Amino acid sequence: MHELGLTMEIVEIAVERAQGRSVKKLRVEVGKLAAVVPDSLRFCFDLCAKGTVLEGAELVLDWVPGRARCGSCGADVFLKVPYGQCTCGHSDLTLLSGHELIVADMEVV
Amino acid sequence: MCGTCGCEENAMHDHDDGHTHDHEGAHTHSHGNDHGHDHSPHDDKRLKIERAVLAKNDGYASFNRGFFAGRGIFAVNLLSSPGSGKTTLLERAIGDLARDMAVSVIEGDLATDRDAARIRAAGAPVVQINTGAVCHLDAHTVGHALEDLAPARGSVLFIENVGNLVCPAMFDLGEHERIVLFAVTEGEDKPIKYPHMFARASLVLLTKVDLLPHLSFDVESALGFAREVNPRAEVLRVSARTGAGMTELYDWLRKRSEPVLGGVR
């Protein structure tokens, strides 16, 4: 349930940026490997947004794929979990993306 | 670039009447030729933020890193599920390393200072953090604990995280190394069930190996799962009760801490 703490942070960032304006839509980029449960994030968002300019705002989650580079053959590998194997058989992978958790932008009224 | 209309933010652009100017975001303004217009009305409705949710934590983690670097302190984040033997391991290590290196501890638990009492009894300075309902330690809380603990220059600091194989993985505390423990009583497939935690470890400790004769735990299969998730991590088998494998752990600590502690001695 670290999503509660993360959502409090998300709401704080957005409220600060909104400067009192009502928010219609908030977009957050979430990496596939970020260990964040989307349902949990939405549940916490409704809770945390209550009584703020974000109350009733739509939370849009944009997924960033998990991508890694193989240390052996240099190919790009797409991952759903934070480990895996390249088609060449090696599992020495360096993660390039997928850990993101970024408050991207929002639409205000 | 604006995702709605494709314009470059703050870009220079041409007007029909031949003048150019720099737009700082969206605004309404008048032109000299008596017409007034509103530039891209949607622009001021759409606000760019682009801020990492964990930026604040990562900032505090950098602060902690500076604290460690300035005092030549080697910091280790100890992670595992509850009951894998983190505190017992520390009790043993504090006694064994007493002549070798100065050790202090930050303890993280939801409630009670029972672990801190055990560490104190073992002979190391300790500060207990009670997180209440929070399932992990964050860099800010650890920063305050560092002020209270004031670890000695050239010492080793163990941060015993809240027992949890999920949430603490996300939170950088500014540590040099992450050690993840899993006990032979837990099941061989822990690493692939909780990959986020194991993928970021520099050392995996298989603990309570003295119990192996009483269990059907398959060590090779467990080590295989750990290697699958994290081929770079080293793996050691230890028993804090019998002392088996502890020398190898201390050797690992000496080797890894040398670049940090070496400069202070």
Side-chain angles (χ1 to χ4, degrees):
Chain A
M1 271 305 279
H2 56 296
E3 280 85 355
L4 181 59
L6 297 177
T7 313
M8 284 162 71
E9 201 72 43
I10 290 171
V11 168
E12 197 182 315
I13 290 170
V15 165
E16 192 188 312
R17 181 75 173 93
Q19 293 181 311
R21 283 179 285 182
S22 232
V23 179
K24 242 165 72 181
K25 194 189 275 187
L26 177 69
R27 198 168 64 85
V28 177
E29 290 172 0
V30 186
K32 276 275 183 205
L33 313 175
V36 172
V37 182
D39 282 350
S40 214
L41 214 57
R42 286 183 197 286
F43 174 80
C44 295
F45 180 74
D46 291 342
L47 221 65
C48 296
K50 229 170 225 152
T52 75
V53 290
L54 286 150
E55 186 165 347
E58 180 191 354
L59 178 67
V60 178
L61 302 179
D62 272 358
W63 291 100
V64 182
R67 203 160 56 87
R69 183 145 302 154
C70 175
S72 175
C73 73
D76 277 8
V77 185
F78 285 90
L79 301 173
K80 286 183 180 158
V81 286
Y83 66 96
Q85 219 177 38
C86 179
T87 45
C88 79
H90 279 81
S91 49
D92 180 18
L93 305 177
T94 305
L95 283 179
L96 302 175
S97 74
H99 279 308
E100 295 80 357
L101 192 55
I102 295 165
V103 185
D105 50 47
M106 64 188 178
E107 249 179 78
V108 293
V109 175
Chain B
M1 194 170 79
C2 170
T4 307
C5 71
C7 77
E8 295 291 332
E9 202 172 72
N10 298 339
M12 296 290 283
H13 68 178
D14 291 310
H15 282 252
D16 287 344
D17 57 0
H19 80 271
T20 64
H21 63 184
D22 195 358
H23 277 270
E24 292 197 2
H27 56 248
T28 307
H29 69 178
S30 303
H31 286 246
N33 56 10
D34 273 354
H35 80 268
H37 65 190
D38 189 8
H39 275 273
S40 314
H42 54 272
D43 259 359
D44 57 2
K45 297 266 171 80
R46 188 167 175 130
L47 307 179
K48 234 185 202 179
I49 308 175
E50 296 293 340
R51 258 180 58 193
V53 178
L54 286 171
K56 209 190 271 175
N57 182 77
D58 293 347
Y60 286 118
S62 294
F63 184 85
N64 293 347
R65 247 186 289 281
F67 182 98
F68 299 141
R71 291 164 181 78
I73 293 165
F74 179 68
V76 178
N77 191 355
L78 278 184
L79 305 133
S80 81
S81 51
S84 297
K86 295 186 292 298
T87 315
T88 308
L89 185 94
L90 284 178
E91 286 176 309
R92 173 103 200 191
I94 289 162
D96 290 350
L97 293 171
R99 289 163 177 232
D100 212 359
M101 44 178 81
V103 171
S104 61
V105 179
I106 292 174
E107 278 290 339
D109 280 298
L110 268 65
T112 83
D113 60 354
R114 293 176 66 89
D115 281 1
R118 287 172 58 185
I119 297 298
R120 205 170 291 119
V126 60
V127 165
Q128 176 79 52
I129 298 173
N130 281 147
T131 59
V134 180
C135 48
H136 59 270
L137 290 179
D138 62 58
H140 182 222
T141 320
V142 167
H144 281 302
L146 285 172
E147 288 169 4
D148 296 339
L149 183 64
R153 290 180 72 82
S155 66
V156 174
L157 170 74
F158 289 103
I159 305 167
E160 186 183 328
N161 219 308
V162 176
N164 178 343
L165 272 181
V166 187
C167 314
M170 288 190 80
F171 294 85
D172 181 9
L173 305 178
E175 72 271 16
H176 294 92
E177 305 286 353
R178 284 187 176 196
I179 300 181
V180 176
L181 292 75
F182 87 108
V184 295
T185 47
E186 290 182 54
E188 298 89 345
D189 53 3
K190 271 282 155 77
I192 54 167
K193 280 183 172 169
Y194 299 89
H196 296 280
M197 183 60 80
F198 285 87
R200 298 185 192 193
S202 39
L203 175 66
V204 174
L205 288 181
L206 192 60
T207 61
K208 307 189 188 182
V209 293
D210 55 295
L211 295 176
L212 280 172
H214 312 287
L215 305 165
S216 57
F217 188 88
D218 181 350
V219 173
E220 282 315 311
S221 147
L223 300 185
F225 285 132
R227 274 193 294 270
E228 186 182 342
V229 173
N230 187 341
R232 289 174 195 173
E234 290 184 47
V235 183
L236 294 173
R237 313 166 198 199
V238 298
S239 164
R241 189 192 280 175
T242 65
M246 295 299 282
T247 309
E248 286 79 2
L249 170 61
Y250 303 147
D251 288 345
W252 185 91
L253 282 170
R254 280 188 203 96
K255 197 176 82 193
R256 293 295 176 114
S257 63
E258 179 55 32
V260 180
L261 303 182
V264 183
R265 281 191 207 112

